[in-house]
Amino acid sequence: MYDRSRAKGITLIGFAIVLGVLGFFAYVAMRLIPMYTEYFGVVKAMEQVRQEPGASQKSLAEIRASLNVKFDTQYVDDATVPPSAIQLERQGGSSTLRITYEKRVPFMYNIDLIGKFDKSVSLSGAGGD
């Protein structure tokens, strides 16, 4: 006779529930990872601009043009970071490049995942200035 008190393991229903929970979190990760990969591309492009000679003396239009070229090599979508999201703040003798944007990714039905990104990089003293 089979002794149920000594049975070990997971039932089929328990396995289905665990699989469903793991599947949900895997789906969330599949939607979020590209968003953060793109953000790291934006950060890398900003660091590349910071390393350019004379970066702190460049105009906002020159910096935006340089960033757009670098965004292409970092696989950053043009619609992700609009030109209005790229700001150059000059105070005294220092320059700071700031990019603030929001990325919205469809999740399911009428639910979106939203990431808000804000990164600042000091251009003063970098790139041989």
Side-chain angles (χ1 to χ4, degrees), residues 45-58 62-63 65-67 69-70 123 125-129:
M46 291 174 73
E47 289 295 327
Q48 289 173 346
V49 167
R50 187 176 75 80
Q51 296 299 325
E52 291 178 353
S56 63
Q57 274 70 44
K58 289 185 178 182
E62 291 172 320
I63 289 176
S66 179
L67 278 171
V69 170
K70 289 167 182 33
L123 299 178
D129 287 343

Side-chain angles (χ1 to χ4, degrees), residues 96-115:
T96 303
L97 173 61
R98 181 177 183 198
I99 297 181
T100 306
Y101 67 97
E102 185 177 282
K103 177 78 174 188
R104 184 177 295 261
V105 177
F107 183 58
M108 61 176 64
Y109 302 109
N110 61 348
I111 300 172
D112 290 348
L113 300 174
I114 301 171

